[in-house]
Amino acid sequence: MELNASKYDRPVKQALIHGWKRKCPNCGSGPMMDGYLAIRNECAFCSQAFHHQRADDGPAYITILISGHLLAPLMLIIFEWYRPDPLVLAVSFILIFITIALFLLPRVKGAFIGLQWAKRMHGF
Ligand SMILES: [Zn+2]
């Protein structure tokens, strides 16, 4: 048991995993999102309120951070090894970036809200 753990601590890792799966960080069953990115007002299973979450631009920053760190070195490697036409390289990597960003954004947002819930931020 951690020295500073209290009965009010919530499991951060579990909340991040549930959030990544776009499920309620409290029960892990109810869907957190209504559509692609919209957050429900509360969980349909355990009534955990989500209306006070403040993810704002955080998930977008994290998504760009991850995507950029994956693709920037890859683009350099591809360019150095194969010397493709720059237009082909740019269009290819734009499409790959959009795909990765669309995949990551709702999952990162869910994990972000899961972290806010676990740390009792913004009224959780
Ligand atoms: Zn729930």
Side-chain angles (χ1 to χ4, degrees):
M1 186 174 160
E2 269 183 57
L3 288 176
N4 294 328
S6 76
K7 64 181 180 179
Y8 301 108
D9 283 350
R10 291 172 171 168
V12 174
K13 186 176 176 184
Q14 187 182 34
L16 287 171
I17 291 170
H18 286 160
W20 178 265
K21 294 176 181 175
R22 295 170 290 162
K23 299 289 184 186
C24 168
N26 188 31
C27 67
S29 299
M32 181 192 295
M33 303 200 175
D34 185 18
Y36 180 65
L37 277 181
I39 302 297
R40 294 174 183 271
N41 282 334
E42 65 178 33
C43 176
F45 283 79
C46 69
S47 300
Q48 169 66 52
F50 297 129
H51 61 85
H52 39 53
Q53 61 81 21
R54 291 288 176 263
D56 297 333
D57 294 337
Y61 285 121
I62 301 297
T63 298
I64 292 169
L65 186 78
I66 294 170
S67 305
H69 280 85
L70 287 174
L71 292 182
L74 185 63
M75 187 160 47
L76 182 65
I77 291 169
I78 297 287
F79 184 74
E80 286 296 320
W81 286 358
Y82 302 108
R83 294 285 173 178
D85 182 62
L87 186 62
V88 171
L89 185 71
V91 170
S92 309
F93 271 80
I94 286 170
L95 293 175
I96 294 169
F97 182 87
I98 289 172
T99 304
I100 290 175
L102 289 176
F103 173 79
L104 283 178
L105 189 56
R107 288 157 181 85
V108 169
K109 185 171 184 175
F112 215 85
I113 293 170
L115 179 66
Q116 290 178 349
W117 174 82
K119 293 296 181 183
R120 298 180 184 274
M121 300 164 74
H122 312 298
F124 277 115

